[in-house]
């Protein structure tokens, strides 16, 4: 079982104006995009593998941002019938920190490394690159291409088990790596049972489904159906304890979760974050890493955007949401954002991110 990822690929549109283009310069219609059947079949197998294959392995996750590279090493014990026990290893801040993530219920359809397969097929051209190997195991390589033929992602899938062994995500130029996940060792278990479970993530979070979106919007929640770079809203959850909402967006490769909770942001809750201000004076607090965060308050709602977005794209996604300057009066309800708990909604690495620094 792999970890969920987030990122946004933001394309820029060049709009010409003035004299009309001559006929010879009119762009030709875009070619019909067609996924390779073998690529789709292998990704479908990768999505299904964690439900059938138990394993024990070490996984390294690295992301790159303006503050340099951030890495985490995780020990993963996965029981196909239960879920995954995730332990942080090699962390001086909190050695041995653990979390348990239940087996996926696939309510939003099959996923590959956290991204819905249906959106991956819709957004990118999937190409089968045949045979290779990684960590001493025979694998196949599948690439996800953008419309301009640049590489957005690469998947190495184990030929024997179908498990995803390695994944790389690239920036808009198709060359700059923004995220990498790789197993450095992997042992397939004939059977696995986790007898003493560590703390579970998430806790009181329940799916409220896409059918609730119109009702939530009428209640004043911000739930746009799309975000920049073809990100689509595909699932909604609610924390029954805090009544905060999680809106999940993805294009199949890059994912972002937006958390919303009534109240006003207490700046003490984002100590250590980098603060920027909009032209109107609204404050946005950001922290890059695994995952990255952007936090702000607007119109009586605290917004927390969480993911592993490339840093140059994070601001563009944040800009798609409402921003109002902080109120001039006091006596407002202040709310600690509970970022560590919010992160635990996402993925094993999110559940442990507050311990990784």
């Amino acid at each position: 079982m792999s970890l969920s990822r987030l990122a946004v690929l933001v394309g820029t549109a060049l709009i010409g104006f003035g004299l009309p283009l001559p006929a010879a310069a009119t762009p030709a219609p875009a070619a019909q995009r067609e996924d390779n059947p073998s690529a789709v079949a292998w990704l479908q197998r990768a999505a299904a593998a964690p439900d059938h294959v138990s394993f024990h392995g070490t996984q390294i996750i690295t992301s790159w941002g303006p503050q340099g590279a951030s890495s985490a090493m995780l020990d993963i014990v996965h029981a196909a019938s239960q879920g995954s026990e995730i332990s942080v290893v090699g962390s001086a801040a909190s050695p041995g920190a653990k979390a348990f993530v239940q087996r996926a219920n696939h309510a939003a359809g099959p996923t590959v490394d956290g991204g819905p397969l249906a959106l991956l097929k819709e957004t990118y051209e999937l190409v089968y690159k045949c045979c290779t190997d990684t960590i001493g195991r025979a694998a196949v390589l599948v690439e996800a291409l953008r419309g301009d033929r640049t590489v957005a992602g690469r998947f190495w899938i184990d030929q024997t088990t179908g498990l995803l062994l390695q994944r790389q995500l690239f920036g808009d130029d198709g060359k700059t790596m923004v995220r990498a996940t790789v197993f450095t060792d992997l042992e397939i278990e004939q059977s696995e049972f986790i007898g003493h479970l560590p703390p579970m993530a998430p806790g009181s979070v329940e799916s409220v489904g896409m059918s609730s979106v119109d009702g939530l919007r009428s209640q004043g929640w911000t739930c746009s159906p799309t975000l920049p770079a073809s990100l689509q809203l595909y699932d909604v959850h609610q924390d029954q304890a805090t009544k905060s909402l999680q809106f999940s967006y993805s294009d199949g490769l890059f994912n972002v979760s937006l958390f919303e909770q009534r109240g006003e942001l207490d700046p003490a809750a984002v100590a250590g974050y980098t603060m920027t201000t909009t032209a109107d004076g609204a404050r946005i607090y950001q922290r890059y890493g695994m995952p990255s965060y952007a936090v702000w308050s607007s119109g009586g709602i605290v917004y927390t955007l969480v993911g592993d977005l490339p840093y140059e794209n994070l601001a563009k996604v944040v800009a798609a949401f409402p921003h109002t300057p902080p109120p001039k009066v006091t006596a407002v309800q202040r709310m600690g954002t509970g970022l560590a708990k919010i992160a635990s909604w996402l993925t094993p690495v999110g559940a442990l991110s507050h311990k990784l620094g």
Side-chain angles (χ1 to χ4, degrees), residues 9-11 33 123-127 129 142-154 168-176 253-254:
L9 302 175
V10 179
R33 181 179 65 79
T123 310
Y124 298 99
E125 179 181 355
L126 304 176
V127 179
K129 303 297 286 187
V142 174
E143 291 186 341
L145 304 182
R146 302 183 182 89
D148 61 2
R149 309 300 295 174
T150 57
V151 176
R154 290 192 175 109
Q168 297 175 345
L169 301 182
F170 296 87
D172 294 340
D173 61 3
K175 299 177 182 179
T176 304
L253 269 186
F254 302 109

Side-chain angles (χ1 to χ4, degrees), residues 96 120 186 188 291 300 325:
L120 181 64
L186 183 68
I188 306 302

Side-chain angles (χ1 to χ4, degrees), residues 42-332:
W42 276 105
L43 288 169
Q44 289 173 333
R45 188 177 177 191
D51 290 338
H52 307 287
V53 182
S54 299
F55 62 85
H56 182 195
T58 302
Q59 189 177 65
I60 296 178
I61 308 167
T62 305
S63 65
W64 288 267
Q67 298 172 342
S70 300
S71 295
M73 179 181 291
L74 305 177
D75 179 80
I76 302 177
V77 178
H78 177 73
S81 62
Q82 293 174 285
S84 298
E85 177 186 276
I86 314 295
S87 304
V88 177
V89 295
S91 171
S94 185
K98 293 184 178 182
F100 178 74
V101 180
Q102 288 181 305
R103 178 180 175 180
N105 61 16
H106 303 300
T111 61
V112 180
D113 214 17
L117 181 55
L119 293 179
L120 181 64
K121 293 164 59 179
E122 179 179 334
T123 310
Y124 298 99
E125 179 181 355
L126 304 176
V127 179
Y128 175 68
K129 303 297 286 187
C130 194
C131 310
T132 182
D133 64 81
T134 183
I135 64 168
R137 301 185 65 89
V140 298
L141 175 61
V142 174
E143 291 186 341
L145 304 182
R146 302 183 182 89
D148 61 2
R149 309 300 295 174
T150 57
V151 176
R154 290 192 175 109
F155 304 83
W156 284 260
I157 303 169
D158 186 44
Q159 290 190 26
T160 301
T161 65
L163 289 172
L164 183 62
L165 301 176
Q166 182 176 354
R167 190 181 76 148
Q168 297 175 345
L169 301 182
F170 296 87
D172 294 340
D173 61 3
K175 299 177 182 179
T176 304
M177 195 181 304
V178 298
R179 186 85 168 191
T181 306
V182 59
F183 278 102
T184 57
D185 63 77
L186 183 68
E187 296 181 7
I188 306 302
E189 307 287 350
Q190 294 303 314
S191 62
E192 184 71 65
F193 181 80
I194 305 172
H196 300 283
L197 300 180
M200 185 176 299
S204 58
V205 178
E206 296 182 3
S207 175
V208 297
M210 291 295 292
S211 61
S212 66
V213 169
D214 288 341
L216 292 172
R217 190 177 292 118
S218 68
Q219 297 171 26
W221 299 102
T222 302
C223 39
S224 173
T226 60
L227 291 178
S230 302
L231 291 169
Q232 297 184 42
L233 178 65
Y234 71 91
D235 206 0
V236 183
H237 290 78
Q238 185 171 46
D239 187 318
Q240 297 305 310
T242 65
K243 300 304 178 182
S244 57
L245 291 163
Q246 176 194 9
F247 299 96
S248 300
Y249 293 85
S250 181
D251 67 352
L253 269 186
F254 302 109
N255 309 282
V256 63
S257 285
L258 177 72
F259 299 86
E260 300 182 27
Q261 186 171 356
R262 303 283 186 190
E264 293 293 338
L265 177 64
D266 182 356
V270 286
Y273 285 57
T274 300
M275 187 188 77
T276 60
T277 57
T278 67
D280 295 330
R283 298 169 183 169
I284 302 170
Y285 300 86
Q286 296 180 337
R287 189 185 77 178
Y288 298 105
M290 294 190 305
S292 293
Y293 297 85
V295 187
W296 70 96
S297 179
S298 180
I301 297 177
V302 174
Y303 296 86
T304 304
L305 192 72
V306 186
D308 55 0
L309 298 157
Y311 70 92
E312 68 272 17
N313 295 328
L314 181 61
K316 297 178 182 180
V317 176
V318 172
F321 294 100
H323 299 276
T324 56
K328 300 298 183 182
V329 297
T330 58
V332 294

